[in-house]
Amino acid sequence: MTSTLPHAAVPAAGRLHDRHLIGGAWVPAASGARIERCDPYDGTPLVTIPAGDAEDAARAVAAAAEAAAGWAATPAGARAAAVHAAAAAVRDHADELALRQSREMGKPLGGARDGVMAGAGALTQYAELGPVHRGRSLMGDPGAADMMVHEPRGVALALVPWNDPIAIACQMLGAALVTGNTVVFKPSERSPLSAIRLAELLADAFPPGVFNMVLGDARAGRPLVADQRVDVVMHTGAVTTGQEIARVCAGRGAHAILELGGKDPLVVDAGVDPRWAAAQAASGAFANSGQVCVSVERIYVHRDVADPFIAALAQEARRARASCAPGTRATRTRTSAPWSTRRRGSWSPRTWATPSRAAGGSSAAATPPRDRVPSTRPRWWWSPTTAAC
């Protein structure tokens, strides 16, 4: 299933966006360094953003630190109302945000919209939970009242990945903002288009300095993590990046909240309907072209159902093959879509296995037929494959 691409809902291809959101205003970047992001469906330039640096990071943290005391003193109900307003803005612009996600990192439109709505739901959930987030009384002397009260940490840094940028951003932002923390939001340089629009929608919901955004890559991320005024760092993404963040935070006493990538197995036992199990495995493995931190990456199948399961999974892989013509965009969650970046080196087609099984159960690996990787598409594309051992 495909959908004609309504280009009017997003900026013209190749647009330059050269500003960060700092202290309630869109301010120019400190340097002239730029990062270009291309549409993975066809490789055309999509948007150019500033490569934020240490100066940009320092300005954003300073704005958040200056606003921290006032936001912490804001009544919980008022903070919740602001987060509710942010949720409503995201929900009202769900189609636009989904299209931006699809254009910047390739996610099928259906899955992209699901992610946006999940983000709006997360903001609403935190808006409801915020006012009832409370301390507790402690057993002490009968003549005294002993209480434990939660207080905001201060400045929170949200480092958001590219594979589900709105959903994960809203989870981080909602939790931090409703509990009285100010935020510096640093989206992935691979998904800036939806992040820019999200920041535009959220900017009016909060006082100046409460919500800030710095665009860029590690040149902005590293000084943000290292800044002594940042009290908590939230990161969803690569293991190596998370390990570096953990070391830096440990060295300066900041709190780190890390959700890192995994290597996730699926077990198919005897007695399970192999066709049903294959459909579930395909959903877990091929959604978002496998670009999910909890995607199914290896499957252990009981020998009694191995043959029908493998045949059914191979058929699921064929159904999910890329089928988008120029000017159209995949809509179904499990329809094959491009990767977010070009693949090189170890991602050569020679390292992939076709959906087949060698006689006797030995490993089967080969280069897929050429018609499964159309020569007119850039190296962003690769059809779903399976290997049986």
Side-chain angles (χ1 to χ4, degrees):
M1 180 178 179
T2 58
S3 175
T4 301
L5 182 63
H7 286 282
V10 293
R15 174 194 177 187
L16 172 64
H17 182 96
D18 62 350
R19 293 174 184 268
H20 308 291
L21 176 62
I22 298 176
W26 291 93
V27 300
S31 75
R34 298 284 184 263
I35 299 172
E36 182 182 73
R37 181 63 187 161
C38 295
D39 187 332
Y41 272 83
D42 55 19
T44 58
L46 183 60
V47 65
T48 300
I49 62 168
D53 58 15
E55 183 176 342
D56 297 314
R59 287 190 295 166
V61 174
E66 183 177 354
W71 185 241
T74 300
R79 296 198 301 257
V83 177
H84 266 305
V90 171
R91 197 172 286 111
D92 290 344
H93 293 81
D95 290 338
E96 178 190 359
L97 290 167
L99 183 55
R100 284 173 176 250
Q101 277 192 61
S102 183
R103 290 199 69 187
E104 68 191 355
M105 54 78 58
K107 179 178 284 192
L109 283 170
R113 195 178 193 284
D114 289 345
V116 173
M117 295 305 292
L123 289 171
T124 298
Q125 179 185 40
Y126 282 118
E128 295 292 332
L129 292 173
V132 298
H133 184 67
R134 55 189 182 274
R136 58 186 179 182
S137 60
L138 306 175
M139 293 298 292
D141 189 284
D146 297 330
M147 299 180 64
M148 181 180 72
V149 179
H150 293 285
E151 294 184 352
R153 289 184 176 271
V155 177
L157 170 62
L159 301 173
V160 176
W162 49 266
N163 60 340
D164 205 356
I166 299 299
I168 297 175
C170 289
Q171 291 166 12
M172 293 183 180
L173 300 176
L177 290 166
V178 81
T179 51
N181 301 278
T182 57
V183 171
V184 177
F185 170 41
K186 210 295 282 180
S188 169
E189 67 276 14
R190 296 189 194 178
S191 55
L193 201 59
S194 59
I196 291 168
R197 187 60 178 134
L198 179 65
E200 290 172 347
L201 295 173
L202 268 57
D204 292 337
F206 302 98
V210 170
F211 171 70
N212 308 273
M213 181 184 71
V214 175
L215 296 168
D217 52 20
R219 287 169 285 186
R222 283 196 172 95
L224 285 169
V225 172
D227 196 304
Q228 294 285 344
R229 296 166 295 181
V230 173
D231 300 284
V232 57
V233 178
M234 301 173 286
H235 165 73
T236 297
V239 173
T240 53
T241 303
Q243 291 171 334
E244 181 180 349
I245 290 171
R247 287 192 295 269
V248 174
C249 288
R252 63 181 188 83
H255 183 57
I257 302 174
L258 306 175
E259 181 191 359
L260 310 179
K263 297 296 181 184
D264 307 297
L266 174 69
V267 177
V268 180
D269 206 347
V272 175
D273 180 350
R275 290 186 177 276
W276 175 85
Q280 302 306 305
S283 179
F286 302 146
N288 202 20
S289 297
Q291 301 171 122
V292 182
C293 59
V294 293
S295 64
V296 174
E297 299 179 15
R298 62 188 188 278
I299 306 171
Y300 299 99
V301 186
H302 194 283
R303 63 173 59 89
D304 290 351
V305 295
D307 288 334
F309 174 84
I310 291 168
L313 182 60
Q315 182 60 35
E316 292 287 344
R318 295 186 189 100
R319 289 175 182 165
R321 63 182 297 176
S323 58
C324 295
T328 65
R329 193 163 296 263
T331 59
R332 293 181 303 175
T333 300
R334 275 170 47 199
T335 299
S336 180
W339 280 317
S340 71
T341 55
R342 296 174 186 266
R343 300 297 186 179
R344 298 184 177 89
S346 62
W347 290 92
S348 164
R350 292 190 300 272
T351 68
W352 287 82
T354 54
S356 61
R357 188 186 187 205
S362 60
S363 179
T367 300
R370 288 186 180 274
D371 63 358
R372 293 188 59 195
V373 187
S375 60
T376 56
R377 289 189 176 128
R379 287 283 297 280
W380 314 81
W381 290 85
W382 193 257
S383 293
T385 56
T386 62
C389 303

